[in-house]
Amino acid sequence: MSDPTEKTGGIAVIVGGGSTWTPGILKSLCEHREEFPLSELRMFDIDAERQKIVGEFARILFAEEYPDLKFSYSTDKARAYDNCDFVFCQIRTGGFAMRQTDEQIPLAHGVVGQETCGPGGFAYGLRSIPDMIEVVRDARRYGNDPWILNYSNPAAIVALALQREFPNDRKIINMCDQPVNLLASYAKLLGLSRHDLRPQYIGLNHFGWFTRLTDATGRDRLPELRSKILAEGFLPADAAERDPSWLVTYGTVEQILRDFPDYLPNTYLQYYLYPEQIVERSDPLHTRTEEVQNGREKRVFRECLRVAACGTAQGSPLNRSEIHADMIVEVAASIVRNLHREFIMIVPNNGVVANFSQDAMIECLAVVNANGVEPYAFGEIDSFMKGLMESQFAYEKLTVDAYYEKSYTKALQALTLNRTVVDAGKARALLNDLWDVNRDYWPELR
Ligand code: NAD
Ligand code: G6P
Ligand code: MN
């Protein structure tokens, strides 16, 4: 039993309840109910049908594993956010239909088609900004000054826009699970748990590097990991549950290490370092969207429906923890219980990297406590990182500027600066084609 004098998480809301990532969070909440006790959990989504599938799974899981938790799901934001203390957010503005255009339109121009990188990430960013601002406003309007923990992508753009809209607001926290996924995968390769390795990490979201990985004895295991990956290749820790393209992506780490052996790269760097190779191996008509919808989404929804029909979650493949889910719940617990746990988080630079734009939202090692996220100073980055990061940050900033100023020129500058595009003529053609399908979501660029 938890100590009744200890703080609790109170009421939490999962925004984007119909996401395929929600079941993992529900399970993680069950597993962490001692250190992150909740009185109530609500789900909120704008799509009643999707949310019902996950919501009915939740009822059964909680009845079996968290019976004292009050639970409901709703499409009514006033009810969902009412007096809440925590918001876990994972929305996708425009859904998978728009994700498909983010991937297919760039590929039709011979450019990387990805939901968070390149022109796809740009288009998705302009769609996500207004919805994320609305989530924060609604949560504040109806809730009890809640902590807002956000996974919604493209996290780099969302974080920068929220920093501009709500400057230095410590209760808005943007995060990404890819560094911890990688950490778990390194640990597995070394026969360790992810908790046995203390990382040093620096970059922008989906654009960074591990620069050290020390074990309990203080030894840096990065050189050993590099040799192992070069000799044996690299797979995600949860390879058995991954759709095939993720295995190819992890495999690319070996290639990146051959070219750039100093640090262990975030897998998303593949899109910026080898854009031509990525385009070559992509099929413009069958992109990741299709793979997710026929893979992860089908598996998760089918299993939710099966559990609801048979009335028990025991033995279900969804009844197990996921790193993605554990991270967000562990961050919340660390806030509520002032645990000073370390995570790789997205924060304002503000001196963390001495020789880099101070107004960037960077990703680095941080401690999480009752005050929120407190990053450790990193020092200086080298010329290669700096060159890449400054141009990527300029792209991010110009994307957010384009949104606020409704500026076509800034949008064009942003896309031209992106390493996946480079050519201004191509950038213009892309911008025009993306605008055609994003009219309902973007501000009108002039
Ligand atoms: P999804 O489309 O399957 O689920 C998103 C859900 O959000 C849908 O049910 C949708 O109806 C709902 N939604 C959309 N707009 C909403 C709004 N304004 N308010 C409330 N609900 C809304 O997408 P997914 O694949 O589950 O991913 C969800 C988000 O989480 C995406 O942005 C994805 O990129 C992100 N994600 C981020 C990380 C990370 O590392 N930061 C990890 C996993 C997923
Ligand atoms: C990683 C990234 C996320 C991304 C997720 C799913 O965890 O950090 O930002 O949303 O993968 O990507 P996918 O392409 O499988 O939908
Ligand atoms: Mn991410």
Side-chain angles (χ1 to χ4, degrees):
M1 275 297 288
S2 57
D3 177 348
T5 61
E6 293 234 47
K7 290 204 163 173
T8 80
I11 301 170
V13 185
I14 298 178
V15 180
S19 161
T20 56
W21 299 96
T22 299
I25 297 180
L26 304 171
K27 175 63 183 178
S28 194
L29 290 172
C30 294
E31 288 184 331
H32 291 82
R33 66 186 191 281
E34 297 288 320
E35 69 166 38
F36 184 65
L38 290 174
S39 58
E40 185 171 351
L41 189 271
R42 304 183 194 133
M43 286 168 29
F44 170 64
D45 201 298
I46 53 172
D47 184 332
E49 231 171 279
R50 281 182 76 96
Q51 179 162 254
K52 182 168 190 267
I53 298 171
V54 183
E56 290 307 308
F57 166 82
R59 268 192 211 299
I60 287 165
L61 179 74
F62 288 149
E64 290 178 335
E65 300 197 6
Y66 208 157
D68 53 336
L69 182 73
K70 192 173 167 199
F71 171 71
S72 62
Y73 58 90
S74 162
T75 54
D76 176 345
K77 57 173 80 162
R79 272 179 55 192
Y81 290 121
D82 179 43
N83 204 30
C84 69
D85 304 287
F86 272 88
V87 171
F88 298 156
C89 184
Q90 42 184 4
I91 62 172
R92 183 184 292 287
T93 302
F96 277 97
M98 289 309 295
R99 176 173 179 173
Q100 192 159 40
T101 68
D102 295 339
E103 294 166 345
Q104 290 190 341
I105 290 174
L107 283 170
H109 289 261
V111 172
V112 168
Q114 212 282 326
E115 68 158 348
T116 64
C117 302
F122 166 87
Y124 186 18
L126 292 185
R127 289 199 304 277
S128 291
I129 293 171
D131 277 11
M132 280 308 306
I133 291 173
E134 190 177 322
V135 166
V136 174
R137 293 231 169 94
D138 289 339
R140 294 266 160 92
R141 177 169 169 211
Y142 301 110
N144 177 30
D145 189 22
W147 290 89
I148 299 166
L149 275 48
N150 178 53
Y151 263 140
S152 310
N153 269 321
I157 303 295
V158 167
L160 204 55
L162 292 181
Q163 169 73 352
R164 177 156 172 171
E165 188 74 27
F166 310 97
N168 299 315
D169 188 322
R170 71 188 172 99
K171 297 191 92 172
I172 302 172
I173 297 173
N174 293 286
M175 41 197 280
C176 170
D177 66 349
Q178 192 57 2
V180 75
N181 282 325
L182 288 164
L183 195 62
S185 309
Y186 302 143
K188 193 169 182 187
L189 212 51
L190 295 173
L192 300 171
S193 134
R194 69 181 163 98
H195 302 287
D196 300 330
L197 289 174
R198 181 168 192 254
Q200 185 59 276
Y201 184 93
I202 203 67
L204 302 163
N205 175 241
H206 288 187
F207 203 97
W209 299 263
F210 287 86
T211 60
R212 271 175 79 82
L213 286 152
T214 38
D215 65 16
T217 70
R219 187 154 63 99
D220 182 8
R221 305 293 290 266
L222 194 146
E224 184 185 343
L225 269 165
R226 176 174 44 227
S227 307
K228 262 188 177 292
I229 291 170
L230 289 174
E232 301 167 25
F234 190 42
L235 282 170
D238 56 351
E241 284 101 56
R242 294 280 182 152
D243 294 330
S245 70
W246 270 111
L247 307 186
V248 178
T249 288
Y250 273 68
T252 311
V253 168
E254 183 185 333
Q255 178 186 359
I256 302 179
L257 276 180
R258 271 186 217 292
D259 285 336
F260 308 106
D262 291 352
Y263 309 120
L264 293 176
N266 190 305
T267 48
Y268 281 88
L269 282 168
Q270 67 169 341
Y271 300 108
Y272 303 99
L273 297 175
Y274 310 106
E276 288 177 15
Q277 181 186 318
I278 296 288
V279 170
E280 234 164 75
R281 74 170 192 232
S282 303
D283 178 347
L285 298 178
H286 302 282
T287 60
R288 176 82 186 122
T289 294
E290 213 179 325
E291 191 187 25
V292 174
Q293 291 195 295
N294 293 326
R296 185 182 166 87
E297 186 176 77
K298 236 184 213 148
R299 279 198 304 276
V300 171
F301 284 175
R302 195 189 289 145
E303 184 57 19
C304 284
L305 291 168
R306 192 196 65 77
V307 165
C310 78
T312 176
Q314 298 307 302
S316 166
L318 294 182
N319 193 349
R320 93 180 141 216
S321 59
E322 283 184 336
I323 293 174
H324 165 89
D326 286 343
M327 179 177 176
I328 200 165
V329 175
E330 285 168 15
V331 166
S334 200
I335 291 169
V336 164
R337 296 274 165 111
N338 197 26
L339 296 175
H340 298 273
R341 282 201 185 125
E342 292 178 339
F343 299 90
I344 294 166
M345 300 293 281
I346 301 170
V347 295
N349 184 13
N350 282 345
V352 172
V353 182
N355 60 336
F356 185 61
S357 294
Q358 294 305 316
D359 53 343
M361 296 299 285
I362 60 164
E363 205 163 67
C364 68
L365 189 67
V367 66
V368 177
N369 58 35
N371 291 319
V373 181
E374 297 180 344
Y376 293 103
F378 180 83
E380 299 209 336
I381 48 175
D382 67 20
S383 299
F384 184 57
M385 286 179 177
K386 186 166 160 60
L388 287 168
M389 280 167 62
E390 287 288 8
S391 79
Q392 177 71 2
F393 171 57
Y395 146 78
E396 292 173 357
K397 184 169 185 306
L398 285 162
T399 301
V400 175
D401 287 347
Y403 172 83
Y404 277 97
E405 297 168 31
K406 301 184 173 42
S407 165
Y408 184 94
T409 302
K410 292 218 161 148
L412 190 58
Q413 289 174 340
L415 281 177
T416 305
L417 270 174
N418 196 288
R419 282 183 61 80
T420 64
V421 182
V422 174
D423 182 90
K426 217 186 249 185
R428 182 181 283 281
L430 275 162
L431 184 53
N432 295 343
D433 283 1
L434 290 169
W435 162 248
D436 281 342
V437 299
N438 279 282
R439 282 168 197 271
D440 294 344
Y441 300 96
W442 289 5
E444 187 157 359
L445 303 176
R446 281 183 276 268

